Amino acid sequence: MPFARLNRATTPTSHIGLGLAAVGRPGYITPHRGRDLPGDRGVDALRARTHELLDAAYAQGVRYFDAARSYGCAEEFLAGWLTARPEVTDVVVGSKWGYTYTGDWRVDAEEHEVKDHSLATFERQYAETAELLGDRLDLYQVHSVTADSPVLADKDLHARLAELAARGTTVGFSASGPGQADAIRAALAVTVDGEPLFRTVQATFNALETSAGAALAEAHDAGVTVIVKEAMANGRLAGTEAPAVVREIGAEAGLDADAVALALVLRQPWAGVVLSGAATVTQLAANLHAPLLDLDPDRLDRLAALVEEPEAYWRHRASLPWS
C-alpha cells in the first residue's frame, strides 16, 4: 500500500492531503472563487496557481495529492509539477476515473462533467491518466460510487481493475450522496478471486455530515485506507461562511474556522488522510494548523449540534452554484 509512506512521515501535516478539484478547472462549487482565484482563469494561470500550492504543501509536509479526470487539467498540472521536481519521490499520487470533464473551460457551462462507470470509460480514462502520470500514479479510484452503481456488479470491470492492482497501482473508490454508508459497504464486499478489490475509500465526512462515520470505521478495521473529502463542506465550514460556533472555537485557539473543521475529522481514529481543497496558499497555511487544535469534550459537544440530516445536507450541496 503506498500510504505506508505516510506512516513513516513524522510531520503533523503528513496525514493532510491536497485535493486539486478547486484549481484544476475554472469553475467549482465553492464560494468566493472570484476572490480566491486570479482574475485570469486561463490554463496557464491555474497551472501556476496549482504549482504554487503544490510547492507550499510539499514544503509544509503534505505528502498526498489527489486529482481526477474530471478536474479539468488537474492531472496535467500535477504531472508537470512532478516532472519538474524529480527529487520529490516520497509523495503518494491519487486520481479518479468515472466522470468526464465537459465544461470546455467555462464557468457558465450548462454541464461541467458527465458520469459513466462503464468498462469502456475506464479503459479510455486510464489510458489518459497513464499518459500523464505514468508510474507516478499510486492510486486509481472509481469516482462517486453509489449503492446502485453498475460498477459494483460489472465482473469484467472488476477483473480489469484487479489486473491494474496486480501491476502495483492501488485500486479504490470514492462515495457521495446521502447513501454513502450503503455504497461503502457494498463496494467493500466486492471481491475478485476471493480477495477484496478496493483497498481505499474516499468519502465525505464533516461537522455537518457524519452519516458515513460507522461505515468508514468498518472500512478502516478491514484494513482499507480512508481518505476524507469535503471536510469543510464545500466552504460551508470555512471563513465567514462557517457557523458561529466553528468561528468561536477557532477564535479561542487563535485559528481560523477551517482549521477547526479539519481538526474534527483528523481526530477520527479511522481517518488516514484528510483532504484540504485550498485554492490559495493562505488558505492552505490556515488548513495546516489543524493538527495544533485541541478539541476537548466541551468543544466536541458544541460541534456535534451542527449535524444535519444527510438528505438535507446533500440537497443543499446539489444546489450550490458553479462559480
Side-chain angles (χ1 to χ4, degrees):
M1 280 287 288
F3 289 94
R5 296 175 213 160
L6 305 187
N7 295 330
R8 294 192 293 271
T10 58
T11 58
T13 55
S14 61
H15 289 275
I16 297 177
L18 178 63
L20 302 180
V23 289
R25 56 197 166 185
Y28 193 50
I29 55 170
T30 48
H32 307 304
R33 287 176 62 75
R35 179 191 66 197
D36 295 339
L37 293 182
D40 171 15
R41 297 192 199 178
V43 172
D44 289 343
L46 289 187
R47 178 187 293 110
R49 173 60 61 85
T50 301
H51 287 190
E52 180 184 24
L53 283 164
L54 289 166
D55 280 337
Y58 186 79
Q60 295 175 80
V62 174
R63 293 295 182 267
Y64 175 68
F65 300 128
D66 189 85
R69 287 302 306 150
S70 61
Y71 294 172
C73 292
E75 287 185 337
E76 177 191 335
F77 296 165
L78 177 55
W81 184 83
L82 290 166
T83 298
R85 293 156 182 80
E87 73 281 4
V88 174
T89 60
D90 57 345
V91 299
V92 179
V93 174
S95 194
K96 297 180 284 293
W97 72 273
Y99 275 91
T100 298
Y101 177 63
T102 57
D104 196 29
W105 215 255
R106 291 173 50 193
V107 174
D108 61 350
E110 291 187 11
E111 184 178 64
H112 293 270
E113 52 192 11
V114 174
K115 185 177 183 178
D116 183 353
H117 283 165
S118 67
L119 177 58
T121 294
F122 165 76
E123 297 289 7
R124 172 176 59 83
Q125 293 198 311
Y126 176 66
E128 294 165 345
T129 297
E131 183 176 0
L132 290 167
L133 292 170
D135 60 6
R136 298 306 304 268
L137 180 69
D138 296 297
L139 167 65
Y140 211 39
Q141 305 157 90
V142 188
H143 204 164
S144 293
V145 171
T146 56
D148 59 354
S149 289
V151 69
L152 296 177
D154 189 334
K155 300 299 184 182
D156 291 335
L157 176 58
H158 297 169
R160 186 67 181 86
L161 291 172
E163 290 175 12
L164 181 62
R167 296 201 306 269
T169 299
T170 298
V171 171
F173 68 97
S174 73
S176 291
Q180 282 189 113
D182 291 338
I184 291 166
R185 293 183 173 110
L188 293 179
V190 174
T191 60
V192 175
D193 295 332
E195 295 295 323
L197 176 60
F198 298 113
R199 304 310 305 158
T200 72
V201 51
Q202 183 173 149
T204 296
F205 183 94
N206 56 57
L208 305 176
E209 214 307 46
T210 62
S211 64
L216 293 173
E218 293 166 19
H220 174 267
D221 290 346
V224 173
T225 298
V226 174
I227 305 168
V228 178
K229 61 185 174 76
E230 300 178 355
M232 284 169 282
N234 297 100
R236 293 179 64 193
L237 294 169
T240 58
E241 308 292 323
V245 65
V246 179
R247 288 183 276 115
E248 289 165 3
I249 292 173
E252 293 166 7
L255 300 173
D256 293 334
D258 53 359
V260 178
L262 281 168
L264 178 65
V265 184
L266 284 167
R267 75 180 308 278
Q268 306 304 317
W270 40 259
V273 177
V274 182
L275 296 181
S276 160
T280 72
V281 170
T282 299
Q283 290 174 351
L284 177 65
N287 291 176
L288 296 181
H289 281 89
L292 303 177
L293 181 61
D294 175 29
L295 290 176
D296 60 25
D298 174 68
R299 287 173 172 171
L300 291 173
D301 286 344
R302 290 155 66 189
L303 292 172
L306 297 174
V307 176
E308 299 176 354
E309 289 296 323
E311 290 78 8
Y313 175 88
W314 288 97
R315 188 164 53 248
H316 185 282
R317 186 187 185 281
S319 73
L320 296 172
W322 288 72
S323 64

